[in-house]
């Protein structure tokens, strides 16, 4: 792989050396001819629940020698760093999670603890970034025209330290071409997340979706779901997403319309849930305001809402949070129902997210049901399905 002189120097700098070697190895595996600079880095895999002592020690060790060269934000951690007791988190977990966060901060990370960096970062069409967190990756590539591969927590840290990523995969035009057309009929609220679950499982790299015009929240939910069920990192939506007509359109077509209806039936609640968890990906302004409106009717089943702490600085959102909390809900920051062990206290969780529907049974070992945001709220208000 070709390296500039400056890039070669990183191989001799303590802290950067190990990161540079890691990126070179990855670059060689994918036949990258060179490194490119990245404008932003987003680091996932920072929950102590997921990375344990091995991950904690690796990050702490690196933080003794390395500093980040580009702006780096971080994904949700394993707890709300202010209300961890209320979530039932142990002191030992709290202490180890804080060590991970402090080590990342020491290297220069911004502790946003949000999985929606696309709402906050100053990056746009055509920018090269190194983002981990699958929902952020797919949203960036598909909806914003930003270019990123699906990084791991470790490769994202290596990119933050070096400011570089190998030039391969979705950084290159020819790898952003769709290879299958998929027809979906999004009729009801919540269908986009279900369609995403189904699309993820279809064998193809980049789906070209034929649909009615999707709302921003539907694009977000659908992308997060297909990244979870099938590791997708990009999609196009005909007449909508920014690169939909840049490349050749695939000939083969798959029709998913009947499957959406039947999957929807399969995942609807069959029993009363004991928790309703909203915010995967993290809730943004509109969703929080909508939940606050429903909350005014009072929740009979606990509702946990996950969002990013910076949103609560907004007076309107802070008021919405008060309303939700006065009426039986909780608004937690810095974490989510999937990466926090707190959800394990419950047995049956209802979500409006295809990603949470996929991961909660596997990672938190809870039964999981699906409904649109409105359906989840109605179950919470009525206290029954
Ligand atoms: Fe975000 Fe957690 Fe879902 S990190 S995308 S809310 S699994």
């Amino acid at each position: 792989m070709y390296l500039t002189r400056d890039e070669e120097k990183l191989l001799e700098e303590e802290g950067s050396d190990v990161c540079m070697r890691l990126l070179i190895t990855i670059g060689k595996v994918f036949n990258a001819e060179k490194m490119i600079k990245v404008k932003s880095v987003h680091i996932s895999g920072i929950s102590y629940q997921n990375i344990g002592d091995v991950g904690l020690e690796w990050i702490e060790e690196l933080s003794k020698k390395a500093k980040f060269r580009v702006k780096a934000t971080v994904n949700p951690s394993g707890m709300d760093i202010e209300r961890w007791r209320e979530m039932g988190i142990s002191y030992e977990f709290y202490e180890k999670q804080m060590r991970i966060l402090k080590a990342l901060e020491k290297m220069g990370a911004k502790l946003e603890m949000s999985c929606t960096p696309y709402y906050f970062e100053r990056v746009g069409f055509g920018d090269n970034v190194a983002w981990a967190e699958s929902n952020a990756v797919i949203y960036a590539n598909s909806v914003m025209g930003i270019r990123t591969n699906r990084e791991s927590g470790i490769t994202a840290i290596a990119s933050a330290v070096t400011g570089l990523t190998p030039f391969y995969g979705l950084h290159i035009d020819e790898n952003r071409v769709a290879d299958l057309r998929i027809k979906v009929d999004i009729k009801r609220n919540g269908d986009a997340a279900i369609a995403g679950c189904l699309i993820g499982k279809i064998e193809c790299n980049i789906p070209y979706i034929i649909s009615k015009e999707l709302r921003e929240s539907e694009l977000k939910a659908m992308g997060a779901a297909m990244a979870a069920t099938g590791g997708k990192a990009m999609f196009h939506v005909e007449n909508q997403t920014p690169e939909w007509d840049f490349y050749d359109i695939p000939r083969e077509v798959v029709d998913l319309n009947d499957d959406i209806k039947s999957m929807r039936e399969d995942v609807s609640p069959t029993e009363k849930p004991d928790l309703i968890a909203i915010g995967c990906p993290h809730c943004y302004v509109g969703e929080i305001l909508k939940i606050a409106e429903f909350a005014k009717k009072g929740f009979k089943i606990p509702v946990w809402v996950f969002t990013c702490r910076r949103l609560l600085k907004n007076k309107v959102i802070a008021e919405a949070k008060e309303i939700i909390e006065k009426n039986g809900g909780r608004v937690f920051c810095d974490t989510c129902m999937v990466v926090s062990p707190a959800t394990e206290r419950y047995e049956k969780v209802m979500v409006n997210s295809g990603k949470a529907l996929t991961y909660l049974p596997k990672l938190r070992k809870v039964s999981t049901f699906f409904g649109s945001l409105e359906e989840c709220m109605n179950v919470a208000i009525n206290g029954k399905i």
Side-chain angles (χ1 to χ4, degrees):
M1 183 195 283
Y2 170 76
L3 295 181
T4 64
R5 277 226 182 109
D6 285 346
E7 288 164 3
E8 276 173 352
K9 277 188 207 155
L10 294 174
L11 284 164
E12 285 143 32
E13 200 178 278
E14 211 195 0
S16 300
D17 52 354
V18 54
C19 295
M20 201 58 193
R21 282 201 300 274
L22 173 70
L23 295 178
I24 291 172
T25 305
I26 289 175
K28 283 184 179 163
V29 169
F30 289 100
N31 290 322
E33 59 193 32
K34 61 177 183 179
M35 294 284 176
I36 51 168
K37 289 194 167 75
V38 290
K39 209 166 171 188
S40 135
V41 168
H42 184 72
I43 302 164
S44 70
I46 65 145
S47 167
Y48 176 67
Q49 178 68 24
N50 294 351
I51 62 173
D53 289 327
V54 175
L56 160 63
E57 280 155 27
W58 187 82
I59 292 173
E60 271 190 339
E61 215 31 59
L62 186 67
S63 75
K64 290 177 189 156
K65 346 176 226 204
K67 283 269 177 281
F68 292 164
R69 281 185 165 75
V70 288
K71 188 175 173 198
T73 47
V74 303
N75 225 31
S77 70
M79 61 190 193
D80 185 309
I81 62 170
E82 291 178 3
R83 301 171 77 180
W84 53 279
R85 283 193 187 84
E86 208 180 311
M87 295 185 82
I89 299 290
S90 69
Y91 181 76
E92 191 202 355
F93 185 99
Y94 164 81
E95 196 260 332
K96 292 195 167 170
Q97 182 65 72
M98 291 311 287
R99 277 172 57 193
I100 294 170
L101 294 173
K102 279 185 186 141
L104 287 164
E105 192 171 38
K106 188 174 162 203
M107 286 190 274
K110 250 183 124 213
L111 299 185
E112 290 281 4
M113 290 175 274
S114 152
C115 55
T116 54
Y118 37 85
Y119 291 138
F120 308 115
E121 294 312 300
R122 289 203 180 149
V123 278
F125 190 86
D127 286 338
N128 296 102
V129 305
W131 284 6
E133 173 41 50
S134 63
N135 103 81
V137 168
I138 197 165
Y139 190 96
N141 280 311
S142 315
V143 182
M144 301 181 78
I146 294 168
R147 296 183 170 217
T148 178
N149 286 318
R150 193 169 153 143
E151 302 294 342
S152 67
I154 292 178
T155 58
I157 288 176
S159 286
V161 170
T162 59
L164 302 168
T165 194
F167 185 56
Y168 74 97
L170 292 170
H171 292 287
I172 299 174
D173 281 350
E174 66 204 44
N175 297 325
R176 299 172 73 84
V177 181
D179 54 346
L180 183 67
R181 270 193 287 167
I182 302 179
K183 277 191 188 166
V184 292
D185 193 8
I186 306 296
K187 288 191 181 126
R188 297 162 56 197
N189 288 344
D191 277 355
I194 295 297
C197 290
L198 293 164
I199 294 168
K201 290 180 191 157
I202 293 178
E203 217 168 294
C204 69
N205 285 324
I206 300 184
Y208 176 99
I209 295 161
I210 303 170
S211 156
K212 72 167 177 77
E213 187 169 335
L214 298 172
R215 297 191 301 263
E216 187 276 335
S217 59
E218 290 175 323
L219 292 167
K220 177 181 167 186
M222 190 171 73
M226 74 175 88
T229 58
K232 306 278 189 278
M234 184 169 185
F235 61 87
H236 301 283
V237 179
E238 191 168 68
N239 291 320
Q240 187 167 5
T241 50
E243 294 176 51
W244 77 272
D245 59 349
F246 278 24
Y247 316 104
D248 288 344
I249 293 170
R251 283 203 187 148
E252 204 188 330
V253 188
V254 168
D255 193 323
L256 278 185
N257 293 340
D258 294 339
D259 308 71
I260 294 174
K261 193 163 171 269
S262 66
M263 179 171 172
R264 193 87 194 238
E265 281 162 17
D266 290 347
V267 295
S268 291
T270 48
E271 294 173 82
K272 178 182 152 184
D274 49 9
L275 176 70
I276 299 198
I278 308 291
C280 174
H282 269 179
C283 286
Y284 200 51
V285 176
E287 283 166 302
I288 297 177
L289 297 180
K290 216 183 233 182
I291 296 166
E293 276 312 304
F294 281 108
K296 287 177 185 167
K297 295 184 185 158
F299 292 143
K300 295 200 180 89
I301 297 174
V303 174
W304 282 6
V305 179
F306 294 94
T307 190
C308 150
R309 189 168 295 282
R310 86 144 72 178
L311 275 192
L312 296 183
K313 289 187 187 143
N314 177 307
K315 199 168 156 253
V316 178
I317 300 293
E319 281 166 13
K321 171 183 177 264
E322 291 299 307
I323 295 169
I324 294 168
E325 300 217 333
K326 262 190 212 148
N327 288 287
R330 285 286 168 273
V331 180
F332 291 121
C333 303
D334 321 315
T335 187
C336 79
M337 66 288 250
V338 174
V339 297
S340 173
T343 319
E344 290 167 10
R345 284 194 282 148
Y346 295 88
E347 283 176 12
K348 290 162 275 177
V349 182
M350 186 171 180
V351 297
N352 67 335
S353 153
K355 179 169 179 177
L357 179 71
T358 307
Y359 285 141
L360 276 177
K362 287 184 199 155
L363 299 177
R364 300 284 74 85
K365 311 278 182 254
V366 292
S367 302
T368 312
F369 308 123
F370 176 88
S372 65
L373 177 61
E374 295 74 13
E375 287 166 341
C376 289
M377 293 294 98
N378 286 331
V379 170
I381 291 162
N382 297 325
K384 58 181 185 202
I385 57 171

